């Protein structure tokens, strides 16, 4: 079960945004990722519990910040409920999208798992619902993913396969590179893997 810590920063001006402490593991029904986020001063700023089925679809999303929370799942597209901590303000939403995304590295692994690209695959378009920090406002976004390289690196625990993806955000034209090994993001804009206690899990 990989367990570790990501450092997070603004990908444009590199302002530190804090850290995400996580553990994740594949299971008989898919994959689960649990994390807590702390700000630069050390205070907890949010939590995430994401579970995928064997096809990479989100069967449970629970996302919390200090003032808002979202619960969602895949159901004929994606569906979610966004509430304040008291539960008095509740907004339901649905979208003809493939999955969710956000600032957590977990969403990059989830999208890669959903698409299951090979280096021979053409660039694949995917529609996601993004929840923006800190108010978790939902926003539809279209991305294009391509697996441009997959390379095995020798380690003490055997070969580690690192996949390099080129990800384009179609509504803004932004393009960036994401490196993923198994169920761990090694590097991506605004994300650095700082500590990892166990090797990444290999999906079947």
């Amino acid at each position: 079960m990989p367990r570790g810590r990501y450092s997070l920063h603004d990908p444009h001006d590199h302002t530190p945004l804090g850290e995400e402490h996580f553990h994740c593991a594949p299971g008989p029904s898919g994959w689960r990722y649990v994390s807590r986020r702390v700000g630069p001063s050390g205070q907890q700023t949010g939590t995430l519990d994401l579970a995928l089925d064997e096809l990479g679809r989100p069967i449970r999303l629970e996302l919390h910040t200090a003032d808002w929370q979202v619960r969602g799942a895949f159901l004929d597209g994606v569906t979610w409920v966004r509430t304040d901590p008291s539960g008095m303000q509740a907004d339901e939403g649905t979208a003809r999208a493939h999955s969710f995304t956000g600032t957590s590295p977990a969403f990059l692994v989830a999208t890669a798992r959903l698409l299951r690209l090979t280096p021979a695959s053409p660039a694949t378009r995917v529609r996601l619902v993004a929840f923006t920090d800190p108010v978790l406002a939902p926003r539809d976004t279209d991305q294009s993913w391509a697996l441009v390289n997959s390379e095995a690196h020798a380690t003490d625990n055997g070969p580690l396969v690192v996949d390099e993806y080129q990800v384009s955000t179609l509504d803004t034209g932004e393009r960036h590179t994401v490196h993923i090994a198994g169920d761990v993001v090694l590097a991506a804009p605004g994300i650095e893997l700082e500590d990892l206690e166990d090797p990444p899990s290999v999906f079947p």
Side-chain angles (χ1 to χ4, degrees):
M1 177 186 294
R3 183 183 300 269
R5 173 174 54 90
Y6 294 108
S7 64
L8 308 173
H9 58 270
D10 187 292
H12 302 291
D13 62 14
H14 304 290
T15 301
L17 300 177
E19 297 180 339
E20 184 161 315
H21 299 255
F22 72 95
H23 61 272
C24 56
S29 62
W31 180 71
R32 187 179 180 195
Y33 178 99
V34 177
S35 70
R36 64 180 182 89
R37 182 173 292 187
V38 296
S41 64
Q43 82 281 11
Q44 182 166 304
T45 58
T47 62
L48 171 64
D49 189 341
L50 175 65
L52 308 179
D53 67 10
E54 66 276 7
L55 298 178
R57 299 173 301 190
I59 55 176
R60 185 181 69 253
L61 168 70
E62 292 189 10
L63 183 59
H64 295 254
T65 63
D67 298 314
W68 295 94
Q69 59 189 28
V70 166
R71 288 183 170 86
F74 183 88
L75 184 64
D76 191 24
V78 293
T79 184
W80 67 90
V81 177
R82 173 178 173 267
T83 63
D84 64 342
S86 69
M88 298 299 291
Q89 301 181 49
D91 297 313
E92 296 185 10
T94 60
R96 298 293 296 177
H98 300 93
S99 191
F100 300 109
T101 191
T103 55
S104 172
F107 293 113
L108 296 174
V109 176
T111 303
R113 181 63 178 158
L114 178 71
L115 298 178
R116 303 190 187 203
L117 302 174
T118 68
S121 301
T124 299
R125 182 169 177 164
V126 60
R127 169 158 285 192
L128 306 169
V129 172
F131 293 106
T132 55
D133 292 334
V135 297
L136 302 183
R139 176 178 60 86
D140 289 357
T141 182
D142 290 310
Q143 294 181 347
S144 172
W145 280 62
L147 178 58
V148 297
N149 189 35
S150 186
E151 187 174 354
H153 299 265
T155 71
D156 293 340
N157 298 300
L160 178 68
V161 177
V162 178
D163 293 327
E164 178 185 344
Y165 294 91
Q166 185 176 86
V167 180
S168 301
T169 303
L170 300 181
D171 55 351
T172 65
E174 284 187 278
R175 180 177 295 177
H176 55 269
T177 301
V178 174
H179 291 89
I180 297 176
D183 57 356
V184 174
V185 175
L186 302 182
I191 299 167
E192 294 292 341
L193 180 65
E194 300 290 353
D195 182 51
L196 186 64
E197 294 183 9
D198 296 294
S201 299
V202 177
F203 288 110

